[in-house]
Amino acid sequence: MPAPVRKAVFPVAGLGTRFLPATKAIPKEMLTLVDKPLIQYAFEEAAAAGIEEFIFVTGRGKQAMEDHFDLAFELKATLEARGKTAELGQILDFLPDPGSIKYVRQTAALGLGHAIWCARDMIGDEPFAIISPDDLVLSETPCIKQLIDAHAETGGNVVAVEDVPREQTNRYGILDTPNAADRLARIDGLVEKPDPKDAPSTLSIIGRYVLDGEVFEHLARHEKGAGGEIQLTDAMAKLIGHQPFHGLRFEGERFDCGTKTGWLAANIAYSLARPDLAEATRETLARFR
Ligand code: G1P
């Protein structure tokens, strides 16, 4: 039985240049999806999967995120004085247990692998999850829970995967696998952002991972890969052959909220999934046919 997955890392140091000017003064992770910031969905997904420690790899200008997960004392007092019980629940119910959320700064934008490496002392050598708030998965079972359950069966490392059109392989980590069509694909190789003509498959990694702590040994070398960045994919590739490594075709629909159209589609899908908003959303959409 592999060790349980208790900790999750959230890489949230990115500048969010694709959303300028919206992200000039607020972190991109604080962009709203329906009525909650993106980062809250990622946090709640981890909490629902039983994660106990939440590690944010953050950077300059990201304080709004820390405030969001802290007690807003004045707002709480005002809502209490006005008897606004429902609103109180909205600012209190999701708050993490004191001490369970931690922040570490990535002082230079050297790549996703470097961001994850910044969390090494908080993880140690146990298996851990990674959740990128840019990727949202609308699903019955939280996507990271699906990975944790698969990891309990296979041990080693499990990443969430989905098929992409071949012309898009240069945006993702891509699997080399003998059984791409299966729910759990054995990973024989990983390539970061290959040209479509060189891609070993069209099965791509999305922003959900469960990894063995050994990956830090490879990240510590700070080797640069695609785009001159320290790539998580390259460090993961070094584990193949030493440990089980699988790609899980997760159940659910993924939205790339790192792009404007993906974020817009997610707003529509999440509104339609909300009983209190579904009908009004459908009516609004009908006006734009
Ligand atoms: C990162 C990873 C890539 C992965 C992607 C998923 O890329 O490097 O392997 O497929 O996340 O969202 P980024 O989106 O940071 O360029």
Side-chain angles (χ1 to χ4, degrees), residues 6-274:
R6 302 185 311 110
K7 302 179 181 179
V9 180
F10 301 79
V12 291
L15 292 177
T17 48
R18 285 199 206 132
F19 278 94
L20 284 170
T23 49
K24 186 181 171 200
I26 60 160
K28 65 172 171 161
E29 296 80 10
M30 289 300 290
L31 290 176
T32 312
L33 189 70
V34 186
D35 53 9
K36 281 197 271 189
L38 284 172
I39 187 63
Q40 191 175 335
Y41 289 89
F43 173 84
E44 289 179 339
E45 179 181 333
I51 293 294
E52 297 163 10
E53 280 186 44
F54 308 85
I55 299 158
F56 285 29
V57 180
T58 168
R60 283 176 65 79
K62 299 279 183 166
Q63 292 91 330
M65 237 184 310
E66 298 189 28
D67 290 341
H68 188 70
F69 290 97
D70 199 353
L71 185 68
F73 177 77
E74 285 157 345
L75 184 57
K76 176 172 172 277
T78 307
L79 293 175
E80 274 167 354
R82 294 184 186 167
K84 300 253 184 197
T85 319
E87 290 80 357
L88 267 172
Q90 279 161 356
I91 64 160
L92 295 177
D93 290 350
F94 71 92
L95 290 186
D97 287 341
S100 65
I101 190 161
K102 288 152 196 182
Y103 302 91
V104 59
R105 281 193 181 203
Q106 183 192 21
T107 47
L110 299 177
L112 178 62
H114 180 260
I116 301 304
W117 177 77
C118 289
R120 65 200 178 282
D121 286 348
M122 293 174 176
I123 300 290
D125 61 4
E126 55 185 286
F128 66 103
I130 300 173
I131 300 184
S132 162
D134 281 356
D135 274 331
L136 266 194
V137 181
L138 189 56
S139 58
E140 238 162 70
T141 306
C143 185
I144 201 67
K145 173 82 166 61
Q146 298 178 40
L147 290 194
I148 291 171
D149 290 346
H151 176 260
E153 286 169 37
T154 63
N157 307 271
V158 188
V159 292
V161 296
E162 70 176 10
D163 264 316
V164 291
R166 183 161 277 274
E167 64 271 18
Q168 290 179 13
T169 58
N170 57 2
R171 296 193 206 164
Y172 300 100
I174 300 291
L175 274 56
D176 183 356
T177 170
N179 58 329
D182 290 353
R183 184 178 150 271
L184 259 183
R186 192 188 81 204
I187 298 181
D188 288 348
L190 286 169
V191 195
E192 180 67 9
K193 302 194 170 97
D195 267 359
K197 62 175 172 26
D198 303 325
S201 77
T202 53
L203 214 48
S204 77
I205 302 174
I206 70 145
R208 298 288 182 284
Y209 310 71
V210 170
L211 299 181
D212 189 277
E214 203 179 309
V215 76
F216 290 114
E217 289 173 25
H218 301 292
L219 289 173
R221 297 200 187 103
H222 290 190
E223 283 167 18
K224 288 186 181 154
E229 295 189 346
I230 300 169
Q231 296 290 357
L232 178 62
T233 302
D234 296 343
M236 294 194 304
K238 303 243 168 64
L239 300 173
I240 298 167
H242 305 285
Q243 299 179 351
F245 215 130
H246 294 90
L248 174 74
R249 284 180 177 272
F250 57 95
E251 168 273 316
E253 190 177 356
R254 172 224 177 208
F255 297 91
D256 180 359
C257 294
T259 67
K260 285 168 201 159
T261 46
W263 173 80
L264 194 58
N267 268 288
I268 294 168
Y270 277 69
S271 292
L272 289 171
R274 284 261 300 254

